[in-house]
Each structure stands twice: as structure tokens, then as C-alpha cells.
Amino acid sequence: MQKLIVTSLLLMLISATAFAQESDTRAEIRELREKLERLEKKLAADEAAREKKAAEERIALTEQVKKDVVSEVSTKGQSFFGKLIEQTKVGAYGSMRYGTSNLDDLHNTFTFRRLVLTVDSPIAERLKANLELEFERFTQLELEKTFTRTPGGGLTSEQAIEGNNKSEISLEQAWMQYDITDWLKFRGGAILVPLGRFNINHDDNRWDLPRRSLVDRGVPVLPATAAWPELGAGFLGDISIGNTGKLSYQWYVMNGVALDSEIEQIGQTRAGDTTKLAYDDKLQASTGTFSDVLKAGKSIGTRWVYSPWLGDKIGASVYWGRYTPDFLANKPVFSFAIDGKKTWGPFEIEGQYVNTRWSGVGAVARGLAQSVISSSSEGEVGDVETEVEFELARLATRKQGYWLGFR
């Protein structure tokens, strides 16, 4: 009987334990199932967020591609002249002076020295153009011409030119340049002759002198008065030396300076005598022609400048070429210049020396005299006396000069 009771109790205990274990297992399974469901929901939410972000990125990328395509099409569709106008820079500079004098033939006056219009146009990535047009003491230039039939059956031709005294319109620069690389650039057109530092830095907004020196304007030592452009072509560039040094050069072939005529016409009435009409024809060296040349051969000009660092420069220049026309003897002009600039803190010293030799000035004078029979001629028709005179001007076997500026 006791064994039966013990056996029954054991069976009941085992059953209760098994039931408790089954209940715990079910609870764990429910908890695991809930965790799995939460994880699945989180994964689904993350996947949805990724898909949304990817969709937004695709939309943004599509819009950007559309904008880039539209921009590229718009840029390609823009005309050549539209780009040219957009990139071209137009500027100007000028100077005015007030001068006083106690000389009888001079008075206190305002003088509009010059107005220069500039154009700088980068046509393409490596191609650019430059232009400088100067109006010196200029206010107006007016030309009137008529050609009519007179009532009596003849013809009438009238011409009148109006302008102000000492006016000048000059083309100082007009060239195009193609940059092959930093040390090799090709330039062609109306270029400033690289003889000395002043001729290529003569602009009011670039020179550091209070006034142009006498050797550049009043009695020019250069073969022609600065600014001195010539028509030609050549190369220029910059070569780096060390960490701070630079060697710059310019080298051109040009039409070159030539003897040109300057005719001065004077009409004069004289009491008790005939009216005088005088023509004074001066032959003097000036900028070469921009058209057909009157002399064989070309001229060369080169300038080399070494700058060890910013603010210091030393340069050497050479110019050589024939200056006489074909109907006179073949004679060259040779010129060389040395220039430099030195900086000490707030102080600067700048200078230039030029030496020019005109070959065969005597032979040129004799040839000119033989060509015109005599140096002057006179004639008189009725009450008008006509005088024509030829002369050489501004020529010498050797001319030299220098200037120094301290600031």
C-alpha cells in the first residue's frame, strides 16, 4: 500500500514538472516570435527607407543630368560672336594737363594730352587679340567734298578739311597672340618695338615717370618717337629660373622704321610783293608703313629681360634694319638699349640708356640732293610765288641718351 502511494506521488510530481517546463517553453517561443516579428518590421522599415532614399537620389541625379545637358546644349548653341562679346574687355585711359608759361608765343592753357581706347579679347582658350587706339589733342575731324556741274557747262570740285591744331589719331597696338606654351607664344600685327623698357611701357597708366623723357619725345634717340609700333610678327615667352627667377624675351621681324616725307604747306601774303605758297618737304625717320613698303628687306628687334625676383629687372635690347627707300643707297640703322629697375623696400630706381647709329647719313643726303636736282626750287606764276624745299630731319651719325628715375 505504501509503495503504491509513493509511486502515485512520484507520477504526480513528474507530471507537474513536465507541465511547468512545457509552460516555460511556450512562453519562450512566444517571446522569440515577438522578437522575430519586431525584427522583421524593423528590417522592412529600413528597406523601405533605403528604397526611398535611393529613389530620391535617382530623381536628383536625373534632374542634374538634365540641367547639365541643357547647359551644355545652351553653351554649344551660343554663337561665336556671343562668346566674343561676353569675354571681350573694353577700357580707356587718358590724361589732361594745365601748363603755364611766360613766353610770348605760349600761354596758360589746358591740354587734353590723350585719350586711349583699349580692347582685350580672349577669342579662344589660347588665342587673344589686343587693340589700342589713341586720340591725342583731338576734338574733331571733318571733311566736306562736293563735285557739281556749273551752270555754264563746266565742273566744280570743292574740298574742305576741318580740325584742331596738333590733333592726332594713331593706332598704337593691334595684334593677335597664340599661346603655344608659357615660354613660346606667337604674336603678329601692329606691335610695340621691344627697344628699351619705356617704349613697351609708355602708357599713362603704366609708366612711373612724371613726364616722358626728352630722349623719348623731344629729341628722340630711339629710331622713332615713342610710342613706336611696327607691323610684323614673332615670338615671346617667359622661362622660369630657380624658385623666384624669370627670363622673358621678345623677338620680331618687322617692316621697320623708314624715311618718310612730311609736307608742310604755308600760304603767305606779303605787302608790296607777290603772294607766297611754300611747300617744305621733310624726310625723316618714322614708323614704317602698314601697307606696301618702299624699301627692300625687313628689320629685326629683340629684348631679353632677367628678373631674379619680383621688383628687380635688367634688360638688353637690339634693333637693326634698313631705313632708306629703294631710290636711295641701302643704309641700315642699328640701335641697342640697356635698362633696369631696382627696388629697396619702399624705394625704386629705374633707368634706360639707348644708343642709335644711322649709317651713311652723308650718302643719303647726297642721294636725295641728286634725286631732286637741288635742295630747293622756286617759281613764280603771275602774282603767286611757289617754293619747294626738301630737307633731312632728325638724322645724325650717332644719337645716344639716357634717363633715370628715383622714387
Side-chain angles (χ1 to χ4, degrees):
M1 187 64 182
Q2 290 179 347
K3 290 181 180 181
L4 182 60
I5 293 173
V6 170
T7 302
S8 299
L9 290 174
L10 288 173
L11 289 174
M12 291 178 62
L13 180 60
I14 292 171
S15 298
T17 303
F19 180 77
Q21 290 178 349
E22 183 179 357
S23 298
D24 292 340
T25 302
R26 289 176 180 176
E28 291 177 358
I29 292 174
R30 284 196 302 270
E31 184 178 356
L32 290 174
R33 186 180 293 116
E34 290 175 357
K35 288 182 179 180
L36 182 60
E37 290 178 354
R38 288 195 298 270
L39 181 60
E40 289 178 348
K41 290 180 180 179
K42 186 176 184 301
L43 291 175
D46 292 343
E47 183 66 21
R50 284 194 296 269
E51 290 181 357
K52 182 180 180 182
K53 183 178 180 181
E56 292 175 351
E57 290 178 351
R58 286 194 297 269
I59 294 174
L61 182 60
T62 302
E63 293 296 327
Q64 184 62 41
V65 171
K66 289 181 179 179
K67 290 180 180 179
D68 293 342
V69 171
V70 171
S71 177
E72 183 176 358
V73 171
S74 176
T75 302
K76 289 184 177 180
Q78 188 179 10
S79 67
F80 169 78
F81 294 103
K83 290 183 179 180
L84 192 64
I85 293 174
E86 180 181 352
Q87 298 177 359
T88 297
K89 298 178 181 179
V90 179
Y93 66 87
S95 64
M96 187 183 75
R97 181 182 301 160
Y98 179 75
T100 63
S101 175
N102 58 3
L103 298 177
D104 294 336
D105 57 343
L106 294 178
H107 306 283
N108 303 341
T109 181
F110 289 100
T111 302
F112 190 37
R113 293 291 299 170
R114 61 184 53 85
L115 172 66
V116 181
L117 303 179
T118 64
V119 179
D120 185 9
S121 177
I123 301 173
E125 183 178 357
R126 298 186 179 185
L127 181 65
K128 66 179 180 179
N130 183 273
L131 169 69
E132 283 191 13
L133 184 63
E134 179 183 34
F135 298 84
E136 188 169 333
R137 303 182 186 88
F138 184 83
T139 58
Q140 67 173 358
L141 178 62
E142 184 176 343
L143 174 64
E144 296 181 4
K145 296 180 67 175
T146 59
F147 186 64
T148 59
R149 186 179 181 86
T150 57
L155 296 175
T156 300
S157 178
E158 297 180 1
Q159 177 174 302
I161 300 176
E162 298 180 17
N164 54 303
N165 187 32
K166 298 183 179 180
S167 292
E168 178 183 336
I169 303 176
S170 62
L171 185 65
E172 293 197 346
Q173 295 188 73
W175 46 261
M176 296 183 69
Q177 177 175 309
Y178 182 76
D179 298 342
I180 302 172
T181 184
D182 289 341
W183 62 270
L184 186 62
K185 305 171 185 178
F186 176 78
R187 179 182 293 182
I191 55 182
L192 292 172
V193 179
L195 183 61
R197 65 182 295 104
F198 182 77
N199 192 56
I200 58 178
N201 295 283
H202 67 277
D203 298 337
D204 286 11
N205 58 341
R206 297 186 68 180
W207 87 52
D208 295 322
L209 298 172
R211 289 194 66 180
R212 296 190 178 190
S213 65
L214 289 175
V215 298
D216 289 304
R217 56 181 184 92
V219 281
V221 176
L222 295 174
T225 305
W228 174 26
E230 291 288 353
L231 193 63
F235 296 92
L236 67 156
D238 300 315
I239 304 171
S240 297
I241 299 178
N243 295 328
T244 60
K246 183 175 70 172
L247 179 66
S248 303
Y249 75 93
Q250 298 185 50
W251 187 91
Y252 302 112
V253 176
M254 303 159 284
N255 282 344
V257 67
L259 285 180
D260 195 10
S261 61
E262 178 183 312
I263 300 177
E264 181 180 352
Q265 179 178 337
I266 302 174
Q268 186 180 57
T269 60
R270 298 177 291 186
D273 200 348
T274 57
T275 300
K276 182 179 180 180
L277 184 60
Y279 296 91
D280 186 5
D281 192 345
K282 293 182 179 180
L283 285 177
Q284 60 186 14
S286 63
T287 300
T289 178
F290 282 17
S291 182
D292 297 333
V293 296
L294 301 177
K295 60 186 181 71
K298 294 291 181 285
S299 301
I300 60 172
T302 182
R303 181 170 184 258
W304 295 75
V305 181
Y306 173 63
S307 176
W309 44 75
L310 188 64
D312 289 5
K313 294 181 179 180
I314 183 169
S317 314
V318 173
Y319 174 87
W320 180 90
R322 175 175 177 170
Y323 71 93
T324 55
D326 288 340
F327 60 83
L328 295 177
N330 181 3
K331 299 298 179 181
V333 55
F334 174 78
S335 186
F336 71 90
I338 299 175
D339 62 81
K341 181 179 180 180
K342 177 65 178 176
T343 303
W344 294 279
F347 299 102
E348 289 182 345
I349 186 170
E350 182 181 21
Q352 171 179 293
Y353 169 79
V354 182
N355 190 307
T356 300
R357 186 179 187 277
W358 299 90
S359 300
V361 174
V364 171
R366 288 191 295 271
L368 177 63
Q370 293 172 0
S371 299
V372 299
I373 307 301
S374 62
S375 60
S376 63
S377 62
E378 297 183 12
E380 186 173 332
V381 179
D383 295 333
V384 179
E385 176 187 342
T386 303
E387 177 180 317
V388 180
E389 181 177 344
F390 291 86
E391 66 171 304
L392 287 176
R394 293 185 178 179
L395 290 185
T397 301
R398 185 176 299 277
K399 302 171 76 174
Q400 59 180 329
Y402 68 92
W403 56 263
L404 289 173
F406 180 75
R407 292 178 294 280

